[in-house]
PDB file of all heavy atoms in Angstrom:
ATOM      1  N   HIS A 214     201.445  75.024  91.587  1.00  0.00           N
ATOM      2  CA  HIS A 214     202.476  74.736  92.725  1.00  0.00           C
ATOM      3  C   HIS A 214     203.833  74.361  92.194  1.00  0.00           C
ATOM      4  O   HIS A 214     203.955  73.595  91.159  1.00  0.00           O
ATOM      5  CB  HIS A 214     201.911  73.543  93.690  1.00  0.00           C
ATOM      6  CG  HIS A 214     200.677  73.866  94.332  1.00  0.00           C
ATOM      7  ND1 HIS A 214     199.524  73.498  93.819  1.00  0.00           N
ATOM      8  CD2 HIS A 214     200.377  74.494  95.472  1.00  0.00           C
ATOM      9  CE1 HIS A 214     198.506  73.877  94.627  1.00  0.00           C
ATOM     10  NE2 HIS A 214     199.093  74.523  95.612  1.00  0.00           N
ATOM     11  N   LEU A 215     204.772  74.726  92.867  1.00  0.00           N
ATOM     12  CA  LEU A 215     206.201  74.296  92.685  1.00  0.00           C
ATOM     13  C   LEU A 215     206.584  73.489  93.926  1.00  0.00           C
ATOM     14  O   LEU A 215     205.966  73.663  95.038  1.00  0.00           O
ATOM     15  CB  LEU A 215     207.095  75.512  92.530  1.00  0.00           C
ATOM     16  CG  LEU A 215     206.852  76.573  91.430  1.00  0.00           C
ATOM     17  CD1 LEU A 215     207.810  77.733  91.495  1.00  0.00           C
ATOM     18  CD2 LEU A 215     206.983  75.875  90.050  1.00  0.00           C
ATOM     19  N   ILE A 216     207.612  72.681  93.760  1.00  0.00           N
ATOM     20  CA  ILE A 216     207.987  71.846  94.850  1.00  0.00           C
ATOM     21  C   ILE A 216     209.530  71.805  94.907  1.00  0.00           C
ATOM     22  O   ILE A 216     210.175  71.827  93.822  1.00  0.00           O
ATOM     23  CB  ILE A 216     207.461  70.416  94.806  1.00  0.00           C
ATOM     24  CG1 ILE A 216     207.805  69.559  95.922  1.00  0.00           C
ATOM     25  CG2 ILE A 216     207.743  69.727  93.441  1.00  0.00           C
ATOM     26  CD1 ILE A 216     207.070  68.139  95.935  1.00  0.00           C
ATOM     27  N   TYR A 217     210.207  71.699  95.987  1.00  0.00           N
ATOM     28  CA  TYR A 217     211.637  71.373  96.149  1.00  0.00           C
ATOM     29  C   TYR A 217     211.865  70.663  97.433  1.00  0.00           C
ATOM     30  O   TYR A 217     211.030  70.610  98.382  1.00  0.00           O
ATOM     31  CB  TYR A 217     212.458  72.656  96.025  1.00  0.00           C
ATOM     32  CG  TYR A 217     212.691  73.545  97.131  1.00  0.00           C
ATOM     33  CD1 TYR A 217     213.683  73.280  98.056  1.00  0.00           C
ATOM     34  CD2 TYR A 217     211.814  74.622  97.318  1.00  0.00           C
ATOM     35  CE1 TYR A 217     213.781  74.152  99.152  1.00  0.00           C
ATOM     36  CE2 TYR A 217     211.911  75.466  98.403  1.00  0.00           C
ATOM     37  CZ  TYR A 217     212.919  75.200  99.321  1.00  0.00           C
ATOM     38  OH  TYR A 217     213.098  76.052 100.379  1.00  0.00           O
ATOM     39  N   TYR A 218     213.115  70.057  97.440  1.00  0.00           N
ATOM     40  CA  TYR A 218     213.416  69.172  98.643  1.00  0.00           C
ATOM     41  C   TYR A 218     214.425  70.013  99.379  1.00  0.00           C
ATOM     42  O   TYR A 218     215.621  70.342  98.932  1.00  0.00           O
ATOM     43  CB  TYR A 218     213.960  67.810  98.167  1.00  0.00           C
ATOM     44  CG  TYR A 218     213.067  67.233  97.114  1.00  0.00           C
ATOM     45  CD1 TYR A 218     213.526  66.700  95.941  1.00  0.00           C
ATOM     46  CD2 TYR A 218     211.719  67.065  97.353  1.00  0.00           C
ATOM     47  CE1 TYR A 218     212.750  66.182  94.983  1.00  0.00           C
ATOM     48  CE2 TYR A 218     210.862  66.546  96.433  1.00  0.00           C
ATOM     49  CZ  TYR A 218     211.343  66.060  95.290  1.00  0.00           C
ATOM     50  OH  TYR A 218     210.559  65.495  94.365  1.00  0.00           O
ATOM     51  N   GLU A 219     214.126  70.391 100.633  1.00  0.00           N
ATOM     52  CA  GLU A 219     215.085  71.136 101.439  1.00  0.00           C
ATOM     53  C   GLU A 219     215.935  70.119 102.176  1.00  0.00           C
ATOM     54  O   GLU A 219     215.511  69.185 102.857  1.00  0.00           O
ATOM     55  CB  GLU A 219     214.241  72.002 102.454  1.00  0.00           C
ATOM     56  CG  GLU A 219     215.051  72.773 103.384  1.00  0.00           C
ATOM     57  CD  GLU A 219     215.945  73.821 102.780  1.00  0.00           C
ATOM     58  OE1 GLU A 219     215.456  74.579 102.013  1.00  0.00           O
ATOM     59  OE2 GLU A 219     217.191  73.750 103.122  1.00  0.00           O
ATOM     60  N   HIS A 220     217.258  70.396 102.161  1.00  0.00           N
ATOM     61  CA  HIS A 220     218.238  69.541 102.866  1.00  0.00           C
ATOM     62  C   HIS A 220     219.327  70.326 103.637  1.00  0.00           C
ATOM     63  O   HIS A 220     220.066  69.689 104.393  1.00  0.00           O
ATOM     64  CB  HIS A 220     218.843  68.529 101.887  1.00  0.00           C
ATOM     65  CG  HIS A 220     219.530  69.171 100.759  1.00  0.00           C
ATOM     66  ND1 HIS A 220     220.860  69.618 100.920  1.00  0.00           N
ATOM     67  CD2 HIS A 220     219.174  69.333  99.465  1.00  0.00           C
ATOM     68  CE1 HIS A 220     221.261  70.166  99.689  1.00  0.00           C
ATOM     69  NE2 HIS A 220     220.193  69.967  98.805  1.00  0.00           N
ATOM     70  N   THR A 221     219.470  71.567 103.350  1.00  0.00           N
ATOM     71  CA  THR A 221     220.555  72.385 104.033  1.00  0.00           C
ATOM     72  C   THR A 221     219.993  72.948 105.336  1.00  0.00           C
ATOM     73  O   THR A 221     220.868  73.181 106.276  1.00  0.00           O
ATOM     74  CB  THR A 221     221.055  73.528 103.090  1.00  0.00           C
ATOM     75  OG1 THR A 221     220.025  74.451 102.929  1.00  0.00           O
ATOM     76  CG2 THR A 221     221.646  73.007 101.868  1.00  0.00           C
ATOM     77  N   PHE A 222     218.729  73.246 105.421  1.00  0.00           N
ATOM     78  CA  PHE A 222     218.082  73.720 106.571  1.00  0.00           C
ATOM     79  C   PHE A 222     218.844  75.010 107.156  1.00  0.00           C
ATOM     80  O   PHE A 222     218.999  75.176 108.373  1.00  0.00           O
ATOM     81  CB  PHE A 222     218.022  72.708 107.749  1.00  0.00           C
ATOM     82  CG  PHE A 222     217.064  71.584 107.282  1.00  0.00           C
ATOM     83  CD1 PHE A 222     217.608  70.407 106.653  1.00  0.00           C
ATOM     84  CD2 PHE A 222     215.754  71.664 107.492  1.00  0.00           C
ATOM     85  CE1 PHE A 222     216.794  69.448 106.228  1.00  0.00           C
ATOM     86  CE2 PHE A 222     214.923  70.662 107.048  1.00  0.00           C
ATOM     87  CZ  PHE A 222     215.425  69.525 106.444  1.00  0.00           C
ATOM     88  N   ARG A 223     219.213  75.937 106.214  1.00  0.00           N
ATOM     89  CA  ARG A 223     219.813  77.075 106.664  1.00  0.00           C
ATOM     90  C   ARG A 223     219.038  78.367 106.316  1.00  0.00           C
ATOM     91  O   ARG A 223     217.913  78.419 106.791  1.00  0.00           O
ATOM     92  CB  ARG A 223     221.299  77.203 106.025  1.00  0.00           C
ATOM     93  CG  ARG A 223     222.187  76.097 106.508  1.00  0.00           C
ATOM     94  CD  ARG A 223     223.654  76.477 106.338  1.00  0.00           C
ATOM     95  NE  ARG A 223     224.476  75.501 106.925  1.00  0.00           N
ATOM     96  CZ  ARG A 223     225.067  74.391 106.365  1.00  0.00           C
ATOM     97  NH1 ARG A 223     224.700  74.148 105.120  1.00  0.00           N
ATOM     98  NH2 ARG A 223     225.733  73.489 107.103  1.00  0.00           N
ATOM     99  N   HIS A 224     219.516  79.166 105.535  1.00  0.00           N
ATOM    100  CA  HIS A 224     218.976  80.513 105.344  1.00  0.00           C
ATOM    101  C   HIS A 224     217.421  80.495 104.792  1.00  0.00           C
ATOM    102  O   HIS A 224     216.545  81.057 105.421  1.00  0.00           O
ATOM    103  CB  HIS A 224     219.747  81.454 104.522  1.00  0.00           C
ATOM    104  CG  HIS A 224     221.067  81.699 104.960  1.00  0.00           C
ATOM    105  ND1 HIS A 224     222.201  81.281 104.406  1.00  0.00           N
ATOM    106  CD2 HIS A 224     221.506  82.297 106.135  1.00  0.00           C
ATOM    107  CE1 HIS A 224     223.208  81.688 105.007  1.00  0.00           C
ATOM    108  NE2 HIS A 224     222.891  82.265 106.191  1.00  0.00           N
ATOM    109  N   ALA A 225     217.297  79.846 103.674  1.00  0.00           N
ATOM    110  CA  ALA A 225     215.931  79.747 103.156  1.00  0.00           C
ATOM    111  C   ALA A 225     214.933  79.125 104.029  1.00  0.00           C
ATOM    112  O   ALA A 225     213.865  79.587 104.251  1.00  0.00           O
ATOM    113  CB  ALA A 225     215.957  79.056 101.754  1.00  0.00           C
ATOM    114  N   TYR A 226     215.455  78.021 104.634  1.00  0.00           N
ATOM    115  CA  TYR A 226     214.535  77.260 105.521  1.00  0.00           C
ATOM    116  C   TYR A 226     214.084  78.174 106.675  1.00  0.00           C
ATOM    117  O   TYR A 226     212.989  78.180 107.056  1.00  0.00           O
ATOM    118  CB  TYR A 226     215.290  75.980 106.028  1.00  0.00           C
ATOM    119  CG  TYR A 226     214.519  75.197 107.051  1.00  0.00           C
ATOM    120  CD1 TYR A 226     213.491  74.357 106.678  1.00  0.00           C
ATOM    121  CD2 TYR A 226     214.861  75.222 108.410  1.00  0.00           C
ATOM    122  CE1 TYR A 226     212.803  73.553 107.620  1.00  0.00           C
ATOM    123  CE2 TYR A 226     214.210  74.533 109.340  1.00  0.00           C
ATOM    124  CZ  TYR A 226     213.119  73.698 109.033  1.00  0.00           C
ATOM    125  OH  TYR A 226     212.504  72.972 109.951  1.00  0.00           O
ATOM    126  N   GLU A 227     215.124  78.799 107.356  1.00  0.00           N
ATOM    127  CA  GLU A 227     214.789  79.674 108.542  1.00  0.00           C
ATOM    128  C   GLU A 227     213.883  80.721 108.102  1.00  0.00           C
ATOM    129  O   GLU A 227     212.943  81.089 108.941  1.00  0.00           O
ATOM    130  CB  GLU A 227     216.072  80.211 109.099  1.00  0.00           C
ATOM    131  CG  GLU A 227     216.924  79.179 109.755  1.00  0.00           C
ATOM    132  CD  GLU A 227     216.316  78.481 111.016  1.00  0.00           C
ATOM    133  OE1 GLU A 227     215.576  79.225 111.746  1.00  0.00           O
ATOM    134  OE2 GLU A 227     216.515  77.285 111.189  1.00  0.00           O
ATOM    135  N   ASN A 228     214.042  81.314 106.953  1.00  0.00           N
ATOM    136  CA  ASN A 228     213.212  82.515 106.473  1.00  0.00           C
ATOM    137  C   ASN A 228     211.822  81.987 106.195  1.00  0.00           C
ATOM    138  O   ASN A 228     210.832  82.586 106.534  1.00  0.00           O
ATOM    139  CB  ASN A 228     213.823  83.106 105.263  1.00  0.00           C
ATOM    140  CG  ASN A 228     215.118  83.869 105.607  1.00  0.00           C
ATOM    141  OD1 ASN A 228     215.382  84.129 106.699  1.00  0.00           O
ATOM    142  ND2 ASN A 228     215.776  84.188 104.517  1.00  0.00           N
ATOM    143  N   LEU A 229     211.615  80.776 105.667  1.00  0.00           N
ATOM    144  CA  LEU A 229     210.348  80.244 105.473  1.00  0.00           C
ATOM    145  C   LEU A 229     209.634  79.982 106.577  1.00  0.00           C
ATOM    146  O   LEU A 229     208.345  80.100 106.755  1.00  0.00           O
ATOM    147  CB  LEU A 229     210.378  78.988 104.591  1.00  0.00           C
ATOM    148  CG  LEU A 229     210.993  79.146 103.144  1.00  0.00           C
ATOM    149  CD1 LEU A 229     211.032  77.822 102.424  1.00  0.00           C
ATOM    150  CD2 LEU A 229     210.185  80.168 102.380  1.00  0.00           C
ATOM    151  N   LEU A 230     210.238  79.558 107.725  1.00  0.00           N
ATOM    152  CA  LEU A 230     209.712  79.285 108.973  1.00  0.00           C
ATOM    153  C   LEU A 230     209.046  80.608 109.529  1.00  0.00           C
ATOM    154  O   LEU A 230     208.057  80.684 110.253  1.00  0.00           O
ATOM    155  CB  LEU A 230     210.645  78.704 109.992  1.00  0.00           C
ATOM    156  CG  LEU A 230     211.113  77.273 109.856  1.00  0.00           C
ATOM    157  CD1 LEU A 230     212.124  76.927 110.827  1.00  0.00           C
ATOM    158  CD2 LEU A 230     209.868  76.429 109.908  1.00  0.00           C
ATOM    159  N   THR A 231     209.685  81.698 109.182  1.00  0.00           N
ATOM    160  CA  THR A 231     209.259  83.063 109.698  1.00  0.00           C
ATOM    161  C   THR A 231     208.022  83.567 108.959  1.00  0.00           C
ATOM    162  O   THR A 231     207.143  84.053 109.500  1.00  0.00           O
ATOM    163  CB  THR A 231     210.472  84.091 109.610  1.00  0.00           C
ATOM    164  OG1 THR A 231     211.540  83.611 110.327  1.00  0.00           O
ATOM    165  CG2 THR A 231     209.980  85.488 110.137  1.00  0.00           C
ATOM    166  N   ASN A 232     208.123  83.582 107.595  1.00  0.00           N
ATOM    167  CA  ASN A 232     206.910  84.211 106.862  1.00  0.00           C
ATOM    168  C   ASN A 232     206.490  83.360 105.646  1.00  0.00           C
ATOM    169  O   ASN A 232     205.476  83.717 105.081  1.00  0.00           O
ATOM    170  CB  ASN A 232     207.307  85.644 106.598  1.00  0.00           C
ATOM    171  CG  ASN A 232     208.404  85.784 105.625  1.00  0.00           C
ATOM    172  OD1 ASN A 232     208.670  84.992 104.656  1.00  0.00           O
ATOM    173  ND2 ASN A 232     209.295  86.795 105.736  1.00  0.00           N
ATOM    174  N   GLY A 233     207.292  82.574 105.088  1.00  0.00           N
ATOM    175  CA  GLY A 233     206.892  81.727 103.933  1.00  0.00           C
ATOM    176  C   GLY A 233     206.845  82.449 102.565  1.00  0.00           C
ATOM    177  O   GLY A 233     206.577  81.855 101.681  1.00  0.00           O
ATOM    178  N   LEU A 234     207.172  83.777 102.548  1.00  0.00           N
ATOM    179  CA  LEU A 234     207.098  84.452 101.296  1.00  0.00           C
ATOM    180  C   LEU A 234     208.274  84.112 100.396  1.00  0.00           C
ATOM    181  O   LEU A 234     209.445  84.164 100.909  1.00  0.00           O
ATOM    182  CB  LEU A 234     207.015  86.062 101.527  1.00  0.00           C
ATOM    183  CG  LEU A 234     205.779  86.462 102.363  1.00  0.00           C
ATOM    184  CD1 LEU A 234     205.952  87.988 102.637  1.00  0.00           C
ATOM    185  CD2 LEU A 234     204.555  86.165 101.647  1.00  0.00           C
ATOM    186  N   VAL A 235     208.030  83.809  99.092  1.00  0.00           N
ATOM    187  CA  VAL A 235     209.095  83.386  98.287  1.00  0.00           C
ATOM    188  C   VAL A 235     208.937  84.092  96.850  1.00  0.00           C
ATOM    189  O   VAL A 235     207.784  84.363  96.518  1.00  0.00           O
ATOM    190  CB  VAL A 235     209.188  81.892  98.038  1.00  0.00           C
ATOM    191  CG1 VAL A 235     209.482  81.253  99.400  1.00  0.00           C
ATOM    192  CG2 VAL A 235     207.922  81.362  97.393  1.00  0.00           C
ATOM    193  N   ALA A 236     210.089  84.095  96.173  1.00  0.00           N
ATOM    194  CA  ALA A 236     210.060  84.340  94.716  1.00  0.00           C
ATOM    195  C   ALA A 236     211.010  83.312  94.120  1.00  0.00           C
ATOM    196  O   ALA A 236     212.047  83.061  94.725  1.00  0.00           O
ATOM    197  CB  ALA A 236     210.510  85.745  94.415  1.00  0.00           C
ATOM    198  N   VAL A 237     210.667  82.801  92.963  1.00  0.00           N
ATOM    199  CA  VAL A 237     211.515  81.875  92.221  1.00  0.00           C
ATOM    200  C   VAL A 237     211.802  82.450  90.835  1.00  0.00           C
ATOM    201  O   VAL A 237     210.902  82.763  90.148  1.00  0.00           O
ATOM    202  CB  VAL A 237     210.950  80.491  92.139  1.00  0.00           C
ATOM    203  CG1 VAL A 237     211.700  79.629  91.190  1.00  0.00           C
ATOM    204  CG2 VAL A 237     210.637  79.885  93.425  1.00  0.00           C
ATOM    205  N   ALA A 238     213.090  82.618  90.491  1.00  0.00           N
ATOM    206  CA  ALA A 238     213.503  82.994  89.152  1.00  0.00           C
ATOM    207  C   ALA A 238     213.994  81.787  88.417  1.00  0.00           C
ATOM    208  O   ALA A 238     214.928  81.183  88.888  1.00  0.00           O
ATOM    209  CB  ALA A 238     214.500  84.222  89.209  1.00  0.00           C
ATOM    210  N   VAL A 239     213.548  81.680  87.213  1.00  0.00           N
ATOM    211  CA  VAL A 239     213.944  80.683  86.291  1.00  0.00           C
ATOM    212  C   VAL A 239     214.268  81.312  84.932  1.00  0.00           C
ATOM    213  O   VAL A 239     213.338  81.907  84.346  1.00  0.00           O
ATOM    214  CB  VAL A 239     213.039  79.530  86.106  1.00  0.00           C
ATOM    215  CG1 VAL A 239     213.471  78.434  85.268  1.00  0.00           C
ATOM    216  CG2 VAL A 239     212.675  78.926  87.523  1.00  0.00           C
ATOM    217  N   VAL A 240     215.492  81.171  84.415  1.00  0.00           N
ATOM    218  CA  VAL A 240     215.901  81.874  83.161  1.00  0.00           C
ATOM    219  C   VAL A 240     216.669  80.881  82.291  1.00  0.00           C
ATOM    220  O   VAL A 240     217.526  80.265  82.701  1.00  0.00           O
ATOM    221  CB  VAL A 240     216.662  83.065  83.488  1.00  0.00           C
ATOM    222  CG1 VAL A 240     217.102  83.836  82.129  1.00  0.00           C
ATOM    223  CG2 VAL A 240     215.903  84.126  84.327  1.00  0.00           C
ATOM    224  N   ASP A 241     216.238  81.008  80.944  1.00  0.00           N
ATOM    225  CA  ASP A 241     217.054  80.272  79.911  1.00  0.00           C
ATOM    226  C   ASP A 241     218.044  81.308  79.412  1.00  0.00           C
ATOM    227  O   ASP A 241     217.681  82.205  78.674  1.00  0.00           O
ATOM    228  CB  ASP A 241     216.190  79.839  78.882  1.00  0.00           C
ATOM    229  CG  ASP A 241     216.921  79.007  77.765  1.00  0.00           C
ATOM    230  OD1 ASP A 241     218.046  79.491  77.357  1.00  0.00           O
ATOM    231  OD2 ASP A 241     216.364  78.104  77.209  1.00  0.00           O
ATOM    232  N   ARG A 242     219.312  81.315  79.795  1.00  0.00           N
ATOM    233  CA  ARG A 242     220.284  82.228  79.453  1.00  0.00           C
ATOM    234  C   ARG A 242     220.466  82.442  77.843  1.00  0.00           C
ATOM    235  O   ARG A 242     220.568  83.619  77.434  1.00  0.00           O
ATOM    236  CB  ARG A 242     221.689  81.952  80.049  1.00  0.00           C
ATOM    237  CG  ARG A 242     222.683  83.080  79.816  1.00  0.00           C
ATOM    238  CD  ARG A 242     223.904  82.867  80.710  1.00  0.00           C
ATOM    239  NE  ARG A 242     225.002  83.693  80.311  1.00  0.00           N
ATOM    240  CZ  ARG A 242     225.069  84.939  80.727  1.00  0.00           C
ATOM    241  NH1 ARG A 242     224.164  85.574  81.425  1.00  0.00           N
ATOM    242  NH2 ARG A 242     226.140  85.742  80.351  1.00  0.00           N
ATOM    243  N   VAL A 243     220.456  81.359  77.117  1.00  0.00           N
ATOM    244  CA  VAL A 243     220.696  81.416  75.750  1.00  0.00           C
ATOM    245  C   VAL A 243     219.518  82.073  75.051  1.00  0.00           C
ATOM    246  O   VAL A 243     219.661  82.968  74.208  1.00  0.00           O
ATOM    247  CB  VAL A 243     220.932  79.959  75.154  1.00  0.00           C
ATOM    248  CG1 VAL A 243     220.948  79.946  73.750  1.00  0.00           C
ATOM    249  CG2 VAL A 243     222.199  79.351  75.656  1.00  0.00           C
ATOM    250  N   ALA A 244     218.307  81.733  75.434  1.00  0.00           N
ATOM    251  CA  ALA A 244     217.107  82.368  74.857  1.00  0.00           C
ATOM    252  C   ALA A 244     216.797  83.670  75.428  1.00  0.00           C
ATOM    253  O   ALA A 244     215.918  84.424  74.828  1.00  0.00           O
ATOM    254  CB  ALA A 244     215.942  81.423  74.984  1.00  0.00           C
ATOM    255  N   GLU A 245     217.429  84.053  76.528  1.00  0.00           N
ATOM    256  CA  GLU A 245     217.131  85.275  77.285  1.00  0.00           C
ATOM    257  C   GLU A 245     215.619  85.435  77.570  1.00  0.00           C
ATOM    258  O   GLU A 245     215.037  86.534  77.395  1.00  0.00           O
ATOM    259  CB  GLU A 245     217.594  86.490  76.493  1.00  0.00           C
ATOM    260  CG  GLU A 245     219.098  86.492  76.349  1.00  0.00           C
ATOM    261  CD  GLU A 245     219.575  87.786  75.635  1.00  0.00           C
ATOM    262  OE1 GLU A 245     218.833  88.351  74.813  1.00  0.00           O
ATOM    263  OE2 GLU A 245     220.790  88.140  75.947  1.00  0.00           O
ATOM    264  N   LYS A 246     215.061  84.270  78.082  1.00  0.00           N
ATOM    265  CA  LYS A 246     213.727  84.225  78.400  1.00  0.00           C
ATOM    266  C   LYS A 246     213.513  83.578  79.744  1.00  0.00           C
ATOM    267  O   LYS A 246     214.284  82.632  80.066  1.00  0.00           O
ATOM    268  CB  LYS A 246     212.805  83.441  77.346  1.00  0.00           C
ATOM    269  CG  LYS A 246     212.776  84.197  76.072  1.00  0.00           C
ATOM    270  CD  LYS A 246     211.880  83.481  75.139  1.00  0.00           C
ATOM    271  CE  LYS A 246     211.654  84.169  73.827  1.00  0.00           C
ATOM    272  NZ  LYS A 246     211.009  85.361  73.830  1.00  0.00           N
TER     273      LYS A 246
END
């Protein structure tokens, strides 16, 4: 599991209420990984 704290209650929040499907991208730019 991943976790985050929602505080803007805008686009992402509204979309999650609709279907809950997500992708999270995390990249180390220097290592290019």
Side-chain angles (χ1 to χ4, degrees):
H214 298 92
L215 301 174
I216 184 173
Y217 78 90
Y218 313 129
E219 178 61 54
H220 58 80
T221 63
F222 296 95
R223 291 201 176 93
H224 301 119
Y226 176 78
E227 292 296 327
N228 293 345
L229 294 180
L230 290 175
T231 302
N232 63 37
L234 300 176
V235 299
V237 174
V239 182
V240 177
D241 182 323
R242 183 166 171 82
V243 174
E245 296 184 336
K246 294 183 179 291

